[in-house]
Amino acid sequence: MRYAAALAASMLLAFPPNTAAGQTVDPAGGSAEIHAKELALASAMHARDRQRLEELLAPDYILRSAPDVDRDTWIRNAITLCWGDRSTIDSFHARQQGGVVIASFELTFYIDPSTCRQAVMRSLITDVWTEYPDGWRLQIRHSGPAPSAGAGVAGQYGIAPLPPPAWDVSGELSLVATAGNTSTRTAGFGGSLIHRTDGASTRASLAFLTSEADEVKQARSITLQARQGFRITRPAELFARGSYARNRFSGIDDRLTAEGGVAFVKTLPRRNALTTEASIGFTDEQRVDHTDLQFVTATGAVNHVWRIAPGTELADDLAMVIDLEAARDWRATSTIRMTVALTRLLSLKASIVLEHRNAPVAGFGRTDMRTAAALVFSWQQRPGIP
């Protein structure tokens, strides 16, 4: 009950008061007692004085954070971490509303509590003190880094990550043509659809590429893929995937693949993310030399994404497929792509795809490389964000 009253008072007192509703006082006046309490609290931390901390904190004291820090945890940190032997309180200001006082100030310690090394650790503190029969006790504390001069709104707000989009739709188009002595045309288009829920994700994708020279079709490829994932823990997901491919550039007439496996997603510092996959599957492959192969496969894949800046992303995909019946027949694919946003819906994408087949189709080479630049249209819808 006291906590709710203190929180409500702190919200009310965040607005400029009239003379009847509240009062602003300096340390030399009625708030001198609260100022002294703040100094006593800091001194108790320096002295690791549990008894004094217990006397100064309300029974339901809480440090508002993400997540919140309860009373027992806060006291344990106060008496076990390094706080040095001195601290300063600057820019102290207090306002009283009945039995509640809101105090704000800058608190500076000169030791890093985690490493016990010399440092300047400054926080902007807002404390809510509640009057008890035995005196004032600290009910709620909010602590944040003191903003630098000229920080503006950046000193008041942090950028919270957006929830992943529930729907993610994209399409892309690339076209290269020459005329004159030789007329060539290479066109490609593709698209993907992703739907996410709390415990599952569904993805469908299409990629098409065709090449002509002097109005004669040289080669064509098409890839269709569908994937269904089910989250088992926050970083891990079970998935099933099916795909169809025709790639005349490398001598493949038709290829059907079905597989199942597990994926792990790891968020790394500096706007990086890493996804690894491992799966077992079955492939039926028909080649232009009339060879028909059926074999069991093991697949490993790694995807790394680096968000260099808002709207700019560099990604690298590496996958390896091994024929478990003939280990010599392995394939590897590497894709590097850079995407730069032009508008909310349009982006430019440049990519390099390298495919290697250790046992190629007769008459075809082992390695293919494709470079492309494409205009990408994308649309996303996040939960609660239109």
Side-chain angles (χ1 to χ4, degrees), residues 23-27 31 34-35 92-96 101-104:
Q23 55 182 339
T24 301
V25 287
D26 58 41
S31 67
I34 298 301
H35 186 260
F92 183 87
H93 183 82
R95 181 184 298 163
Q96 184 171 355
V101 172
I102 309 297
S104 61

Side-chain angles (χ1 to χ4, degrees), residues 145-221:
S148 58
V153 297
Q156 303 172 47
Y157 299 95
I159 300 176
L162 290 170
W167 291 95
D168 192 337
V169 181
S170 67
E172 62 182 71
L173 175 65
S174 61
L175 178 64
V176 177
T178 64
N181 293 318
T182 303
S183 176
T184 64
R185 184 176 64 186
T186 300
F189 67 84
S192 67
L193 170 66
I194 303 174
H195 177 54
R196 300 180 180 89
T197 63
D198 289 339
S201 63
T202 305
R203 177 188 175 100
S205 63
L206 163 69
F208 176 80
L209 181 67
T210 183
S211 178
E212 295 181 1
D214 296 324
E215 299 184 355
V216 176
K217 183 175 68 176
Q218 299 298 309
R220 178 174 290 176
S221 71

